[in-house]
Amino acid sequence: MPVIAEFGISRIEACEGDDVKVVWKGYHNIQETSEGKCDSEEIGEQISDFQNLGYEETYTNNELAAAPGQTRYFKCSIHCSENANRIEVSCPPVPVIAEFGISRIEACE
């Protein structure tokens, strides 16, 4: 079952290998950015051309998934604001487990 991102605004957890289904809440494209701000540097080509309200697409090749410990940021190139038309995708870090005799320590990187 895919992770659902309403575009609109969504903060989702989706790790590499997870499918992400985007549901458009207006006329938007999807463009990755280096940070979560609307004026952040764009990364690569747009993920999706502009689509209309109600359009749905499921991404199955990690286009919208994050690596462990990573957060990725996406926006609409022309309709972005702090609380609208953005998607933030994060994946929790993989715990590191170290065993020392009888002690076992679990920590995140």
Side-chain angles (χ1 to χ4, degrees), residues 9 31-42 73-86 88:
I9 182 80
Q31 173 65 56
E32 185 168 8
T33 60
S34 60
E35 297 178 6
K37 299 178 182 175
C38 292
D39 61 356
S40 298
E41 177 185 358
E42 293 184 352
Y73 305 95
F74 303 90
K75 70 175 185 178
C76 173
S77 296
I78 60 173
H79 301 119
C80 184
S81 70
E82 184 175 333
N83 295 311
N85 309 324
R86 298 185 314 106
E88 293 183 10

Side-chain angles (χ1 to χ4, degrees):
M1 173 180 271
V3 177
I4 306 295
E6 294 189 359
F7 191 32
I9 182 80
S10 284
R11 288 179 180 88
I12 62 170
E13 185 176 295
C15 298
E16 292 174 336
D18 291 341
D19 295 344
V20 177
K21 180 180 180 179
V22 178
V23 180
W24 269 251
K25 298 297 183 183
Y27 182 70
H28 307 297
N29 71 333
I30 300 177
Q31 173 65 56
E32 185 168 8
T33 60
S34 60
E35 297 178 6
K37 299 178 182 175
C38 292
D39 61 356
S40 298
E41 177 185 358
E42 293 184 352
I43 299 173
E45 299 294 320
Q46 65 183 4
I47 305 296
S48 172
D49 289 328
F50 285 88
Q51 305 296 339
N52 289 311
L53 171 69
Y55 180 79
E56 298 181 3
E57 185 167 347
T58 301
Y59 295 89
T60 60
N61 293 314
N62 294 322
E63 298 97 325
L64 298 178
Q70 178 187 40
T71 298
R72 294 176 68 192
Y73 305 95
F74 303 90
K75 70 175 185 178
C76 173
S77 296
I78 60 173
H79 301 119
C80 184
S81 70
E82 184 175 333
N83 295 311
N85 309 324
R86 298 185 314 106
I87 301 171
E88 293 183 10
V89 182
S90 61
C91 180
V94 176
V96 176
I97 299 173
E99 293 189 29
F100 299 99
I102 59 169
S103 297
R104 182 174 182 201
I105 300 169
E106 184 173 328
C108 296
E109 293 184 294

